[in-house]
Amino acid sequence: MKKIFTKATAFLSALTMSLCGGFGGFSASAEDSEPVQYKFTFNITEDMEPAPKVDVTLFDDKISDLSYINIPDGTFIKEGYQFSGWTVDGIEGFLPGDTYNITNGATEVVFEPVWYEPKDTDSHTVSYNLEHNGEVLEYPEWLKDINAVKGMIVTPNYTRINAEDGFSNGLILGGDYPLSFGMRFVMPANDVVLTPQWTKYITLTYYAGDVDRLVGNDKYTFNRNGNTTTDLAKNDRFSRIGFNLTGWLSDHDGQIYKPLEVVKLPDENITFTAVWDPKSYVVVFKSGNGGTNVKIKGVTDEIIICPEPDAADNGKRFAGWKDSEGKIYQPGDEYLIYGTIPGLGISLEGVWENSSSPVNTTTVTPAETTTSTQTTATTAEEIVYGDANCDGKVEIADATLILQFLTNKDEYQLTAHGMINADCSNVGDGVTAVDALAIQKLDAGVLKSLPEKN
């Protein structure tokens, strides 16, 4: 390109000097609040006279707070030449009606007229180099070379050319001047070769990571165009009990990006892995028996110590704290904050017994809970919506079992009848986390009965 446009380069240097020294400043300084002003000048020289009936004022200097201008229409006469259009850098050309936008930070720009000689017989060729991945693609029937003389403004053919692993997206003029869709150029005094800018098809993958407590899929893939920008997925792309999705780790550059952040995709497959942070919880120990609730702050997977109940005896004995799975904890026991589905909290209920009754300190592991609930089922004919563990009751333990089943089916299972009972929201769509949420809603009084109809 440097050899092709040697005269254009000299012209650009002269134009740059004109821009730097020819006008007063119009940009707003740091001390004032005036908007940036842009100046557009059409250089109508002495040897370029407006033809009759042309409104010359259309080509007066334009000062605007907008960084773009639509090229006015006009007919100009120069003996022995034909007016072709306008240029700013001697390379890119503009026709009447085109839009020019300042993108390089300048505030002043000068348009110079472009001419060609109608009687010039020294025609030059604009051809296309279709080499891709070391192979030369066959010219499509619709792609034709262009013949033009020096000074003509040429509009290349931007029709997409498809390759096995991508497609053309713009052109490169002479090897180093990129042309985006719709750009024109001023024909130099030599042949020109246009090379397609190739965009590669890539696979964009979102991966939840090798983590537990996921609800739903752990991976999604999409087809994208390489070397383009995209908005990353939101923080609800994956759902994980007890954790917030706070970022995406790129396997391309090792950087962590925020959800919805705009990123530039490479020209190769890329995977973004979810970055998880534990959620903060206030674990509520509901004393009951006339006492006040005890609240302890913590985060997912943190161990806290179960407190003493804040309640009077009233002739009763404190038997422990019961969690949503029915497990009993004694004051001083360690309690692991496992987390829960979004929108729900964690609480344990105080259990009180008559002072003459023996204290029930039996603890049951989640695995044992699952086994025992499967053996105490309702009759085969009876459907109790929400009763996932088939113990004849609908309570938080059923929601917990559903979530455990969805995240680890090898360890936590539902019986055939439990599967029927568990499908309690939008019956017929199978067992999902939405069913667990419906049971939680019932427990909280948001729903009066099950099944829930969506």
Side-chain angles (χ1 to χ4, degrees):
M1 184 64 198
K2 293 179 181 178
K3 294 182 179 179
I4 294 175
F5 287 100
T6 52
K7 292 184 179 180
T9 304
F11 169 80
L12 177 58
S13 299
L15 177 60
T16 303
M17 293 176 62
S18 173
L19 287 174
C20 292
F23 306 117
F26 286 89
S27 60
S29 65
E31 287 77 18
D32 57 49
S33 59
E34 295 181 4
V36 176
Q37 295 289 293
Y38 299 92
K39 184 174 182 178
F40 302 91
T41 297
F42 292 89
N43 190 12
I44 302 178
T45 59
E46 293 181 357
D47 59 353
M48 182 173 116
E49 299 180 358
K53 300 182 181 180
V54 171
D55 185 358
V56 182
T57 61
L58 290 175
F59 298 91
D60 287 344
D61 290 352
K62 303 291 190 302
I63 298 177
S64 170
D65 58 359
L66 301 176
S67 63
Y68 65 88
I69 187 174
N70 293 323
I71 309 299
D73 191 6
T75 303
F76 303 96
I77 297 174
K78 179 180 179 180
E79 186 175 353
Y81 290 87
Q82 178 71 41
F83 177 69
S84 182
W86 301 92
T87 187
V88 170
D89 59 4
I91 300 176
E92 188 177 358
F94 298 90
L95 300 179
D98 289 347
T99 299
Y100 177 85
N101 188 32
I102 299 178
T103 58
N104 60 359
T107 57
E108 303 169 0
V109 66
V110 177
F111 292 95
E112 297 286 348
V114 180
W115 307 90
Y116 72 92
E117 299 181 64
K119 296 181 180 181
D120 189 353
T121 58
D122 188 11
S123 179
H124 305 287
T125 302
V126 178
S127 60
Y128 299 82
N129 173 18
L130 300 189
E131 182 176 348
H132 180 58
N133 290 340
E135 297 183 3
V136 178
L137 303 180
E138 184 178 352
Y139 253 53
E141 293 184 2
W142 47 262
L143 186 61
K144 307 296 181 184
D145 291 347
I146 301 172
N147 293 319
V149 299
K150 176 186 175 183
M152 281 187 171
I153 291 182
V154 178
T155 304
N157 192 330
Y158 288 97
T159 305
R160 173 182 290 191
I161 301 172
N162 292 315
E164 183 176 349
D165 62 345
F167 60 94
S168 63
N169 186 22
L171 299 166
I172 299 176
L173 176 62
D176 62 0
Y177 194 101
L179 299 175
S180 58
F181 182 81
M183 288 177 62
R184 317 176 202 275
F185 66 90
V186 180
M187 188 69 188
N190 47 259
D191 293 342
V192 171
V193 177
L194 300 175
T195 304
Q197 300 181 56
W198 295 103
T199 294
K200 187 177 180 180
Y201 299 124
I202 67 170
T203 299
L204 169 61
T205 301
Y206 290 105
Y207 176 46
D210 185 16
V211 296
D212 61 358
R213 283 169 271 188
L214 282 177
V215 179
N217 295 335
D218 68 345
K219 186 177 294 184
Y220 295 91
T221 59
F222 303 91
N223 294 324
R224 291 289 185 267
N225 299 330
N227 288 325
T228 57
T229 58
T230 188
D231 296 344
L232 291 180
K234 297 191 296 184
N235 58 4
D236 61 356
R237 169 56 64 185
F238 299 109
S239 178
R240 184 183 178 197
I241 295 174
F243 292 86
N244 291 317
L245 197 162
T246 59
W248 296 107
L249 173 63
S250 166
D251 69 345
H252 175 69
D253 58 14
Q255 299 295 314
I256 295 177
Y257 298 91
K258 296 178 181 179
L260 292 178
E261 185 171 347
V262 178
V263 298
K264 177 71 176 295
L265 297 176
D267 60 355
E268 59 187 24
N269 295 340
I270 185 170
T271 297
F272 289 97
T273 302
V275 177
W276 301 99
D277 282 351
K279 289 184 177 180
S280 297
Y281 290 98
V282 176
V283 181
V284 181
F285 292 84
K286 299 180 179 180
S287 295
N289 195 33
T292 58
N293 295 339
V294 180
K295 299 179 180 180
I296 301 178
K297 294 182 179 180
V299 298
T300 304
D301 287 341
E302 181 182 355
I303 294 176
I304 61 176
I305 303 300
C306 296
E308 293 286 345
D310 180 15
D313 288 344
N314 292 334
K316 294 187 177 182
R317 174 185 297 166
F318 182 69
W321 302 103
K322 183 173 71 172
D323 68 5
S324 60
E325 298 178 9
K327 182 178 179 180
I328 302 295
Y329 295 83
Q330 297 303 313
D333 284 353
E334 294 182 344
Y335 177 80
L336 176 66
I337 301 177
Y338 182 82
T340 186
I341 58 178
L344 299 177
I346 301 176
S347 63
L348 291 85
E349 300 282 347
V351 179
W352 296 86
E353 298 177 348
N354 293 329
S355 57
S356 59
S357 302
V359 178
N360 179 12
T361 59
T362 303
T363 58
V364 184
T365 64
E368 291 171 341
T369 301
T370 304
T371 302
S372 63
T373 54
Q374 292 176 4
T375 58
T376 310
T378 56
T379 61
E381 295 78 13
E382 181 183 3
I383 298 176
V384 180
Y385 287 109
D387 184 18
N389 58 18
C390 300
D391 66 352
K393 298 178 293 183
V394 180
E395 52 190 358
I396 295 299
D398 297 297
T400 302
L401 179 58
I402 290 174
L403 293 175
Q404 291 173 331
F405 167 75
L406 292 173
T407 56
N408 191 348
K409 295 181 181 179
D410 292 334
E411 184 174 353
Y412 302 99
Q413 299 181 3
L414 293 173
T415 65
H417 194 67
M419 293 284 288
I420 297 174
N421 287 347
D423 185 11
C424 60
S425 179
N426 196 24
V427 175
D429 66 348
V431 179
T432 68
V434 178
D435 297 309
L437 182 59
I439 296 172
Q440 299 275 13
K441 291 178 181 178
L442 182 70
D443 182 73
V446 177
L447 292 178
K448 300 301 181 183
S449 64
L450 294 175
E452 179 185 30
K453 296 180 181 180
N454 295 331

